[in-house]
Amino acid sequence: MAEAQAAATGGTAAMDRGRTWVVLYLATTGVVILLMMVFGLLMRLAQSEWIVLDPAVFYQLLTVHGIGMVGIAALGGIAILWHFLSAHVPLRSAALAINLVLFLVGVVMILWAVFIGGFAPAWTFLYPLPAISGGVWEPWAGVLDLTGVLLIGVGFLILCLEMGRAIVASQGGLGRGLGWHVLFGGSTDKPPAPTVVAGTMVVIVTTLALVAGATIVVMTILNLLFPSLAIDPLFAKNMIYFFGHVFINATIYMGVAAVYELLPRITGRPWKASRVFLGAWTLSTTMVLIIFPHHLLMDFAMPRWTMVLGQVLSYVNSFPVLAVTGLGALAIVHRSGIRWDLVSTLLLIAMFGWMAGVIPAVVDATVSVNYVMHNTLWVPGHFHFYLLLGLLPMIFAFMIHLARDEDVTARGGDLTAILYLLFGLGFVAMFLMGGWASVPRRWAVHMPEWLVWDRIATVMAAGVIVLAGVFVAIFLARIPRLLRHG
Amino acid sequence: MTVQTLSLLVSLAAIVALAAVFLRVRALSHTPVDYPPLLARAYRLGRIALWTMVVVGLPVTVWLLRYMPHTTAAAVADPQVVNVSSTQWFWEFDRESVEASKPVEFHVTSTDVNHGFGLYDPSGRMVAQVQAMPGYINVMTHTFEAAGDYRVLCLEYCGLAHHAMESVITVTAAGGSNG
Amino acid sequence: MAEGGRGRLAGAATAAAAAAALALLAGGTAGGRAFTAEAARRLDIAAAPRALPEVVLGDPTGALVPLSAYRGHPLVMEFVYATCPDLCLTLGTAFERLDTLLPAGVALLSVSFDPADDTERLGWFADRHGARPPRWRVAAIADPAAREALLARAGVVVIPDGAGGFVHNAALYLVDGAGRLVAVFDPEDTEGVRAALAADAG
Amino acid sequence: MRARTQAAIGAGLVLLALLPPVAGRLEARLPLQVLGQYPLLVAGGALAGAALARRHGRGAGWSAAAALLAGAAVLGFWMIPRWIDAAVALPSVRTLRALSLVLAAGLPLGWGWALAGPVLRGFALANAVPMLAVTGWILLVVPARLCNSFLVEDQRLLGRLQLALALAILVAAVLRALAGGPAQGAATDRRMRRASPPIASPQAPRATNTSPSGIGSRKP
């Protein structure tokens, strides 16, 4: 609608950059994140034995919490990336509209399948669990759920293609979007802006993830409809973890655009794409596509070399984040005269959360550690660390940035951000402690000796939800004004 | 020290160190200095960090690869073989008792969906695990250090009663009865 | 606003193409029930039983029997070749089961589609499975045109397997008392044949 | 002129695919038929369709998505085992198939591809790859022989070839996008041609907002 309006008024579209849609994306993100957090809290409450939850309901919540968070992380990440990328390359916001519609339709289908159809195979829907539920759900629920997943995938595919088109058109190829002409060609052309580099990486890896995801989802749907079409379970696992790993990883590469764009504006120090920076992003692009076997270290049927690759490359993949992006962010704020406010503190937390979240991941990707830590709470410990304290602060910072009409002048305190960090740290620490205590992940009922970690986590989760609610409320309260002036 | 404790301490140390850097940067951020020299220093630090990770970390991770639980059957002479079959939602073993200090070869598979075969020592700490997959037999070799009742828990989400999928393997003292 | 109009046009055209594509693919598979010629044949036969053409059957004893002689009673047929190493053995075994399973009034007929099957080779097949006429007759059709007509009518497709034998769509065929092919079953589905006959009698 | 040459090459491909000795060879084996004869016929029609689009396609960008979808459906139809068998059994179906692969699959695919913007092209490829892979997988794992007229070995071989082809298309598309490549160039040329005459909207500089792609240009 924004664009039709723009067309009618004769060409403010270049200024518009799909802002109305970005605002709607963030509103959806905020509301869904809170809802999913409440689902998470319910699960922790049940594990703490403070409420009683039917295991069937627990696993339904688990499924929705997982897929919902993955989807909404991508939606929020895209909002950030789109907003900043559209200043560098001309994007058509119709793709945003199509994606949001497909997303919402998909969400309704998934919720229907899970809460009415009882479909609960976790968000990873590892074959053949969707088809073999032990009588808990019918095949139709699986078909409905996976069709919803497929629709959401189609929406994100269209978004990626549109971003890819714009990058190719304006930069002359995705290779140039990654700065390869500077990195490899020794070209003296201006390197692409960091946001363009991030956008290019997201386009490449997400598109490939979606193609793989669509393939395995369609295969699983066909298997539900025609059980004689059997899938090799190990192949299915590889496809699902390739898709899942790349897709969820891409969300933080979307969100990091907020750091690249806002920190320089706040401090007045430019973030330029140096050759090291470009090299780091090219490395990340490659690594994120090939390190997924670290999810399969306990599948001894996998070829040995994939295990070696999974461990060594997982470690190598931490270089770009730890030594380049993180350091760049720290350098920009170091002795910059910055006055910390909500936005800048959230961005700093985001960089810390991302970098720190990498650490337990690298530890767990070590085969000998994985041998006794895989599928314990250590794993959710790692990804909650970098999603809750890495990606979400980026999204919250961006929400508040928009609510402040994109004015980067520091204002107000940052107490809520600090509290969010503390509750968040407490929350993820309890997951990591659970991993240390060998608590298996995805258990509806916990043993008595594990309750202490569960109960502290529950309290921390409640705190996180309250503070996230504050950030979302700040944004939602501003929406009428944002839409009016959008 | 157990692998779990070591992992926790290493992670904790790294995270605390990282937090210290962030806190220091935040504390010093109020007084502005010129950016270009600072950036040059940051680049130098970045290079040092990167090279440290390459020169120190990379050999470490490669060295850690020497321990792979994917030991093939041929590598162990005369193992005690336990065939493990998993089904929603129970475990089946062809022998329920093995001897400590002697390698045990677990041949793990599933009759329906993916499960995870997790071995817990009597204190409740996980000592080994492997995925149980339909159509595949994953061979895991483990040597129990001490006698006792080892719980088997399911470590891969497998549906409604995933958390109730438990069993026990008894480990007898070395040189005891051979089951 | 011309752009919006073009967008709507594109949307409408795409929706129309999608509807047409769906109709084409649904129509081409009988609404998703028949992706293969085999499934299509069974659906078609179940919906519209096919009268079989007259042929003369020659059995291992040299006796010549017209197919029409079977009128008045149900008949179960299969199409085989005597030197078949696999599928026809399955079919033969299925017929052995049917032999013990079916009421006395139902006849069994194994028809060879291999022109090289002479009375001697038909005899091997009959002996291997214990086939005895008139209950179970193993037969060949001497007239190539008549043979082809029967195979085509029943939808039997035979192709050389490249190793001197044949590959064919194996099935059990139920023919009613009026000489019409009424149903086709999987080679293992003897229970289906029995149930269909029982339902018919009942 | 170039359009005419293109159409002529297209006609040549069709003739080649239908030339009795060649056709006989191609139709004898399932993989040769589906991955040899079909592509020749479709490519023949597609070249003509693209030539047609170049001459008469101005302002017809709205039809690109519909044409690609229709062409894909016709192509998909002839990959249904039932109709592969029918074409072997009945000469009339075989003739209809040749005609429709050229005119109802190739022609619209060429037309639609030529008019499609990069988003629609990418979308088409991103759908074609999983579809090709999934149908290939079906051919490999289905316990039954799907075509009465072909050996099961042929079916499995076709399945493997389809998987390989899907992978090859994916890799080629990614490499092309990395390089920027002529695909983008062609689309940009066309768009500039379309934008230059005065019939274009008053916001001519917003060329990127007037893509003919049915996907990208649909307005909320």
Side-chain angles (χ1 to χ4, degrees), chain B residues 70-91:
Chain B
H70 314 63
T71 323
T72 51
V76 181
D78 185 29
Q80 318 174 70
V81 175
V82 181
N83 289 300
V84 179
S85 167
S86 53
T87 304
Q88 282 170 332
W89 290 278
F90 57 90
W91 297 100

Side-chain angles (χ1 to χ4, degrees), chain A residues 215 218-219 222 229, chain C residues 35, chain D residues 30 34-35 75-77 79-81 127-142 146 155-163 165-166:
Chain A
T215 307
V218 171
M219 285 169 72
L222 286 173
L229 297 176
Chain C
F35 286 94
Chain D
L30 185 61
V34 174
L35 295 180
L75 183 56
F77 178 87
M79 288 177 77
I80 300 171
N127 276 283
V129 167
M131 282 307 136
L132 207 54
V134 168
T135 48
W137 160 73
I138 291 175
L139 292 173
L140 278 175
V141 300
V142 70
L146 292 177
Q155 176 180 322
R156 306 287 188 231
L157 178 61
L158 177 60
R160 276 192 295 275
L161 288 174
Q162 280 190 209
L163 290 183
L165 185 62

Side-chain angles (χ1 to χ4, degrees), chain D residues 8 10 22 49 55 72 84 88 98 108 118-119 131 141 144 164 168 172 201:
Chain D
V22 181
R55 287 194 159 192
I84 292 179
V88 175
V119 172
M131 282 307 136
V141 300
S201 61

Side-chain angles (χ1 to χ4, degrees), chain A residues 54-56 59 62-63 120-122 124 126-129 132-134 136-137 232-235 237 241 269-270 272 274 276 297-302 304 307-308 311-312 315-316 318-319 322-324 326-328 330-340 345 348 351-352 355-356 359-360 363 366-376 378 385 414 418 425 432-433 435-445 447 449-450, chain B residues 2-8 10-12 14-15 18-22 24-35 38-39 41-47 49-50 52-54 56-58 60-72 88-89 111-116 120 123-142 151 153-166:
Chain A
D54 181 345
Y59 291 125
L62 178 88
T63 301
T124 46
L126 275 187
Y127 175 85
L129 188 52
I132 304 178
S133 68
V136 179
W137 60 82
D232 181 329
L234 191 58
F235 172 77
K237 237 183 201 179
Y241 283 128
R269 292 172 167 183
K272 285 205 202 104
S274 65
V276 178
L297 296 177
M298 290 302 113
D299 283 288
F300 297 174
M302 288 285 284
R304 206 187 173 90
M307 308 286 145
V308 173
Q311 170 171 333
V312 175
Y315 173 72
V316 173
S318 65
F319 295 2
L322 291 174
V324 179
L327 198 83
L330 285 172
I332 274 203
V333 296
H334 187 54
R335 296 189 187 277
S336 61
I338 188 172
R339 188 174 95 63
W340 295 101
T345 300
L348 193 70
M351 286 316 297
F352 169 71
M355 293 170 77
I359 293 163
V363 169
T366 311
V367 177
S368 46
V369 172
N370 200 259
Y371 191 45
V372 292
M373 303 280 260
H374 179 61
N375 276 352
T376 64
W378 187 269
F385 209 132
D414 57 1
I418 304 286
L425 276 176
L432 294 175
M433 290 308 294
W436 170 78
S438 299
V439 184
R441 72 190 282 203
R442 294 177 172 150
W443 270 38
V445 181
M447 299 193 184
E449 59 263 38
W450 303 333
Chain B
T2 65
V3 175
Q4 284 94 336
T5 305
L6 188 64
S7 301
L8 184 68
V10 167
S11 304
L12 197 66
I15 292 170
L18 190 67
V21 172
F22 270 81
R24 182 162 170 77
V25 166
R26 186 173 149 99
L28 295 177
S29 59
H30 302 287
T31 43
V33 299
D34 220 16
Y35 189 45
L38 190 147
L39 193 61
R41 234 182 79 211
Y43 276 147
R44 204 165 57 242
L45 268 173
R47 268 197 299 278
L50 201 60
T52 312
M53 291 174 82
V54 173
V56 179
L58 213 51
V60 169
T61 186
V62 172
W63 175 73
L64 284 170
L65 278 169
R66 87 202 185 286
Y67 179 67
M68 286 279 244
H70 314 63
T71 323
T72 51
Q88 282 170 332
W89 290 278
T111 63
D112 45 32
V113 301
N114 287 281
H115 301 278
Y120 283 67
S123 75
R125 185 179 59 94
M126 197 202 304
V127 293
Q129 72 167 311
V130 67
Q131 289 272 305
M133 289 189 76
Y136 288 86
I137 297 174
N138 285 326
V139 179
M140 173 185 80
T141 309
H142 182 76
R151 274 186 305 173
L153 305 184
C154 186
L155 284 176
E156 186 62 74
Y157 175 62
C158 58
L160 186 63
H162 165 54
H163 55 279
M165 201 168 147
E166 268 192 69

